[in-house]
């Protein structure tokens, strides 16, 4: 696997080029950074499909989804399944949502143009190797409910990594992990981390975004830590990364 993601080709590039037009609902979205499409494997080797919500600042810069704090929490969750590469991630929405997943956002998500296009995308991502679909958060859970292709697949509906309180979030994730593990084959040479989460996220519970998930030429710090950590004057790690970044 190259140490960067060369980007989509073929059916994925065409489908993303034909994305739905968000103009009529643009008041609810941060349109300026454009659509952010995915992260992970598009070559048919993904065995787990991850569904998130919508991109934020880190994703805008990286041009891949789930790379900031929420993404690093998801990456840590995947480590607990023994997955370091055989996954692909898409969001409910292509653009950053203003505000929360509320009734209006759910109506937008269920509108024909957005829903049908997204269902086609999820169909494209599904292969004979798909072992599980993991929906993180209320928006993503609605996505699987609206997707006919989900029937017959193992689906886990769990809380979003940015859920406001660590305690209930990590209890929810701890409860879901054993069931998901029975469906998901770890990547070769990777042992699932079966240590349960505690009551709060620790730094070790987050995993860096693997370089093969990021585009060519990004600085080394991308996909590691958060803004507060990266820019703290006391962070030796940031300083050493910055020397060649
Ligand atoms: N949260 C999500 O659900 N998706 C992203 O891409 C970033 C944060």
């Amino acid at each position: 696997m190259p140490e960067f993601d060369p980007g989509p080709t073929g059916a994925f590039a065409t489908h993303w080029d034909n994305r739905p037009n968000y103009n009529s609902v643009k008041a609810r979205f941060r349109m300026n950074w454009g659509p952010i499409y995915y992260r992970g494997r598009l070559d048919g080797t993904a065995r787990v499909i991850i569904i998130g919500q919508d991109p934020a600042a880190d994703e805008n810069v990286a041009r891949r989804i789930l790379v900031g704090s929420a993404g690093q929490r998801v990456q840590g969750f995947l480590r607990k399944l023994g997955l370091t590469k055989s996954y692909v991630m898409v969001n409910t929405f292509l653009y950053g949502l203003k505000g929360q997943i509320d009734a209006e956002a759910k109506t937008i998500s269920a509108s024909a143009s957005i829903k049908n296009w997204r269902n086609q995308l999820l169909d494209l991502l599904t292969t004979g190797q798909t072992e599980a679909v993991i929906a993180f958060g209320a928006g993503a859970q609605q996505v699987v409910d609206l997707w006919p292709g989900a029937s017959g697949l193992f689906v886990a509906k769990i809380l979003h990594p940015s859920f406001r309180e660590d305690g209930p979030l990590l209890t929810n994730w701890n409860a879901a992990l054993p069931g998901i593990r029975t469906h998901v084959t770890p990547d070769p040479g990777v042992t699932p981390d079966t240590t349960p989460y505690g009551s709060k996220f620790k730094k070790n519970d987050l995993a860096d975004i693997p370089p093969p998930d990021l585009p060519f030429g990004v600085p080394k710090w991308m996909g590691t830590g958060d803004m507060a950590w990266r820019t703290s004057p006391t962070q030796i790690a940031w300083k050493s990364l910055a020397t060649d970044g």
Side-chain angles (χ1 to χ4, degrees):
M1 200 153 57
E3 282 303 292
F4 62 92
D5 173 11
T9 55
F12 288 109
T14 305
H15 194 63
W16 280 318
D17 261 350
N18 295 329
R19 64 188 172 272
N21 190 323
Y22 276 56
N23 242 341
S24 62
V25 290
K26 65 175 186 235
R28 280 302 308 267
F29 293 93
R30 297 177 211 287
M31 306 293 289
N32 296 5
W33 286 85
I36 324 280
Y37 297 111
Y38 76 102
R39 171 158 80 84
R41 312 285 82 72
L42 300 177
D43 58 2
T45 61
R47 287 180 282 100
V48 173
I49 299 173
I50 304 289
I51 306 177
Q53 186 167 292
D54 66 297
D58 290 83
E59 289 75 27
N60 289 342
V61 176
R63 312 312 295 172
R64 294 295 183 272
I65 72 159
L66 285 164
V67 300
S69 304
Q72 291 164 42
R73 288 178 172 190
V74 169
Q75 201 65 36
F77 187 93
L78 291 175
R79 186 170 58 195
K80 293 207 181 278
L81 299 174
L83 289 179
T84 53
K85 57 183 180 184
S86 301
Y87 52 78
V88 65
M89 310 182 182
V90 289
N91 275 329
T92 305
F93 296 117
L94 291 172
Y95 302 88
L97 178 71
K98 292 184 185 165
Q100 299 297 313
I101 293 277
D102 52 16
E104 183 185 49
K106 287 188 173 172
T107 303
I108 296 170
S109 180
S111 66
S113 66
I114 290 183
K115 178 192 71 176
N116 294 340
W117 178 89
R118 192 180 53 221
N119 284 347
Q120 286 161 6
L121 172 63
L122 290 166
D123 288 343
L124 276 178
L125 292 170
T126 306
T127 70
Q129 301 202 71
T130 306
E131 296 176 333
V133 179
I134 308 177
F136 284 96
Q141 294 174 18
Q142 185 199 18
V143 167
V144 281
D145 291 342
L146 293 169
W147 175 35
S151 69
L153 295 174
F154 171 78
V155 176
K157 294 179 179 173
I158 60 177
L159 289 178
H160 190 271
S162 308
F163 188 77
R164 59 189 176 279
E165 282 174 76
D166 281 8
L169 167 56
L170 295 172
T171 301
N172 175 265
W173 283 12
N174 278 336
L177 274 161
I180 304 175
R181 272 195 206 103
T182 64
H183 287 85
V184 173
T185 317
D187 277 323
V190 185
T191 307
D193 167 9
T194 53
T195 329
Y197 290 101
S199 56
K200 277 196 160 307
F201 273 107
K202 296 192 278 297
K203 201 161 181 0
N204 275 350
D205 293 326
L206 278 65
D208 290 349
I209 307 307
D213 289 15
L214 296 169
F216 180 77
V218 300
K220 278 193 173 171
W221 52 259
M222 194 167 279
T224 67
D226 56 23
M227 186 64 97
W229 176 80
R230 286 195 297 260
T231 55
S232 158
T234 60
Q235 280 305 332
I236 310 295
W238 155 249
K239 285 181 190 158
S240 61
L241 287 168
T243 54
D244 69 356

